[in-house]
Amino acid sequence: MKYLECKPLEKLKAFVENVDVGDYTVEGKMEAYSCKLAGTDKKLSRSLDQEVEASVSVSPPRLLSASPVGPLTEAGSRRTLIYLILTLNHIYPDYDFSLLRAHNFSKETGPETVKGNVETLLIEMARAWISENGKDSAFTESLWTAIDEVISLYESSTDIYSYNPEYESDPFGEDGYIWSFNYFFYNKKMKRILYFSCRAKSKVYESSEEDV
């Protein structure tokens, strides 16, 4: 996986990193990767493919057909799963996601559902954006325009996945967070993934930590 410098994302990426919205702080990540594999990614990809393929042979057909990335008997579906895992490994290098499997992810029904969830959770962040950039620049419009420029959001070749956190073994399981979301926008034709995640940390928890 190769990290991509994407001009449309630069301003948004810097903004969502840490936004104080009053009772909590939003911490966001927005990164794009090429799905071209090399070096350690290539080795891990081969290893993961073998492990998933081996598990397929002993899994009930019902579970295989229910996979969010498609039938795991097909190489393309396994490849999608591996791209999702490798993306998480790159973005959160202090954690190891190589044990994740298809059930740890969900496939979203489409862009509109995702947009509705993101915009609801980021209402306060949108206000902070206006304070910083003026009323002529709407946060959600800037956000979806940039994502579309990078990943072609509305093309039929773009699928959207979300990660179902394990909580005990990943960054979404840390104490003090009141909500989070994470989405992978995967364009098969472009062989590119854009990852967008935000989580909200309670200031009450932060202050109680400082008092200890």
Side-chain angles (χ1 to χ4, degrees), residues 52-53 56-57 64 70-78:
V52 173
E53 197 171 13
V56 163
S57 62
L64 296 179
L72 292 173
T73 49
E74 296 178 8
S77 300
R78 297 196 301 275

Side-chain angles (χ1 to χ4, degrees), residues 129-176:
W129 173 271
I130 288 172
S131 297
E132 195 171 297
N133 296 281
K135 289 184 179 179
D136 292 335
S137 176
F139 173 69
T140 53
E141 185 181 334
S142 301
L143 174 67
W144 300 120
T145 298
I147 288 176
D148 186 42
E149 280 184 51
V150 172
I151 208 73
S152 297
L153 178 60
Y154 303 101
E155 277 190 7
S156 59
S157 56
T158 300
D159 290 323
I160 307 173
Y161 298 93
S162 56
Y163 167 52
N164 308 315
E166 290 284 278
Y167 290 119
E168 292 181 359
S169 57
D170 64 33
F172 298 96
E174 295 172 6
D175 292 333

Side-chain angles (χ1 to χ4, degrees), residues 22-58:
D23 293 335
Y24 56 90
T25 303
V26 180
E27 301 167 356
K29 289 184 179 290
M30 184 180 285
E31 296 185 7
Y33 289 86
S34 158
C35 295
K36 186 176 180 181
L37 303 181
T40 54
D41 278 345
K42 208 166 191 175
K43 289 179 185 174
L44 181 55
S45 173
R46 284 199 202 102
S47 171
L48 285 169
D49 188 60
Q50 289 168 0
E51 289 173 21
V52 173
E53 197 171 13
S55 68
V56 163
S57 62
V58 294

Side-chain angles (χ1 to χ4, degrees), residues 11 23 35 93 97 104 111 120 187 211:
K11 186 174 181 179
D23 293 335
C35 295
F97 295 91
N104 295 113
T120 298
N187 188 312
D211 292 339

